[in-house]
């Protein structure tokens, strides 16, 4: 059923909650982007399960996946919005919050459409382990993102989201930010990846990451093994180089691929209406 929701008012309200002086780098933006991505990134094209319908992270089966540790902060930030617009689904609010946060942090405008359901079909719950593991390499990246229907160029463009936010030792077990200004969307991540000398560092918990000490900012920046894996493969590396050189191209490609990510698992008719609001997709494919 189409509800009459004033989405431009919702967007404004999301934008006005981003400023959070007590939280992380002063912004809820990065963790909201991660919530949006993890809500959709469970998609499996072959079995047609997972994806942005359902907001399954509200429940332990998905929300308790160690890959989703810390995302409760993002969900709590959005509760006042849900209370103000009770007819908006969580699945719509989580994806829209990511889109609004990216724009507000200086990123591109990303097309977004509502219509997602909060209905969860238990028999179609995505199993854990569908989100990427930062300790792995290129084969893993391809397995995970090809499964969602992305290609090599799209994998690199999506990875550029690591311009934003940071790793937390009590969430993922990794530590630090990728760039000096982690609440400003840009292509700095790609530039730093190529231009700095990254040294392996073993954390107290045994996790390996790569670090570079930035003297100007007196700060240690980091890369995950999966980030630097993009440099060791020509098909990925050429896109890292393209995006490092050409910020506009990165913004354009990122906007397209993030829009595609937010649509994973949805079947829409030609008017944009979501058909699989029972969250069962099979029957809608002709
Ligand atoms: Fe990521 N990401 N991500 N990521 N991600 C982490 C944080 C953030 C991987 C691992 C981690 C994407 C892809 C990958 C964001 C957006 C996106 C953290 C740290 C880990 C670990 C979490 C924590 O400790 O709080 C891996 C591996 C991949 C991959 O294999 C490609 C994608 C595709 C996106 C996206 O949005 C399109 C954002 C934003 C953050 C910062 C969160 C925060 O709280 O700050």
């Amino acid at each position: 059923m189409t509800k009459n929701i004033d989405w431009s008012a919702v967007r404004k309200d999301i934008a006005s909650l981003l400023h959070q002086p007590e939280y992380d780098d002063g912004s809820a933006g990065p963790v909201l982007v991660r919530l949006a991505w993890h809500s959709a990134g469970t998609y499996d094209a072959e079995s047609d399960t997972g994806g942005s319908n359902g907001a399954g992270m509200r429940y332990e089966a998905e929300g308790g996946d160690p890959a989703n540790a810390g995302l409760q902060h993002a969900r709590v930030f959005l509760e006042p919005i849900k209370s103000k617009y009770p007819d908006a689904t969580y699945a719509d609010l989580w994806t829209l919050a990511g889109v609004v946060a990216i724009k507000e942090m200086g990123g591109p405008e990303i097309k977004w459409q509502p219509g997602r359901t909060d209905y969860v079909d238990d028999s179609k719950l995505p199993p854990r382990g569908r989100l990427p593991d930062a300790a792995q390499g290129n084969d893993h990246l391809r397995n995970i993102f090809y499964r969602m229907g992305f290609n090599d160029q799209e994998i690199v463009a999506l990875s550029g989201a690591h311009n934003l936010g940071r790793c937390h030792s009590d969430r993922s077990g990794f530590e630090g930010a990728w760039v000096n200004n982690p609440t400003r969307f840009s292509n700095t991540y790609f530039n730093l990846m190529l231009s700095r000398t990254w040294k392996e560092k073993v954390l107290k918990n045994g996790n390996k990451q790569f670090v570079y000490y930035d003297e100007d900012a007196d700060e240690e920046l980091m890369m995950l093994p999966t980030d630097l894996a993009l440099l060791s493969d020509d098909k990925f590396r050429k896109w890292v180089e393209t995006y490092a050189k050409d910020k506009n191209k990165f913004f354009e490609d990122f906007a397209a691929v993030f829009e595609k990510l937010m649509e994973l698992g949805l079947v829409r008719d030609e008017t944009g209406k979501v058909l699989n609001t029972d969250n069962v997709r099979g029957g809608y494919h002709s």
Side-chain angles (χ1 to χ4, degrees), residues 17-20 23-38 70-71 73-75 77 94 97-105 161-168 171 176-179 181-185 254 258:
L17 69 73
L18 295 180
H19 180 61
Q20 295 285 345
Y23 179 77
D24 260 10
D25 300 289
S27 172
V31 79
L32 289 173
V33 174
R34 191 164 198 241
L35 176 68
W37 131 241
H38 279 208
L71 293 180
H73 293 279
R75 296 194 292 276
F77 283 132
W94 294 354
V99 162
V100 169
I102 288 165
K103 178 73 185 150
E104 290 295 313
M105 290 188 284
H162 284 170
N163 273 285
L164 299 173
R166 59 173 57 251
C167 297
H168 305 78
R171 300 185 191 174
W178 291 265
V179 305
N181 186 351
T183 59
R184 188 86 199 145
F185 195 83
F254 184 83
F258 200 84

Side-chain angles (χ1 to χ4, degrees), residues 14 20 55 75 84 107 134 152 158 169-170 172 186 199 206 208 212-213 227 232 251 253:
I14 293 171
Q20 295 285 345
R75 296 194 292 276
K84 189 165 171 188
D152 290 349
L158 280 170
S169 44
D170 58 340
S172 60
S186 76
K199 283 208 188 101
K208 268 188 219 152
Y212 160 78
Y213 179 67
D227 295 309
S232 64
F251 273 38
D253 286 0

Side-chain angles (χ1 to χ4, degrees), residues 156 159-160 162-163 178-179 187-198 210 212 221-232 236-237 239-241 244:
V156 180
S159 303
H162 284 170
N163 273 285
W178 291 265
V179 305
N187 61 343
T188 305
Y189 162 83
F190 296 116
N191 278 307
L192 291 175
M193 191 188 285
L194 287 167
S195 63
R196 300 296 188 264
T197 306
W198 296 96
F210 294 87
Y212 160 78
L221 300 176
M222 64 87 65
M223 291 276 161
L224 297 165
T226 38
D227 295 309
L228 290 193
L230 299 177
L231 295 181
S232 64
F236 285 140
R237 189 181 175 111
W239 290 107
V240 174
E241 288 170 356

Side-chain angles (χ1 to χ4, degrees), residues 75-89:
R75 296 194 292 276
V76 168
F77 283 132
L78 291 175
E79 271 311 309
I81 309 282
K82 175 67 180 169
S83 306
K84 189 165 171 188
Y85 305 94
D87 288 340
T89 61

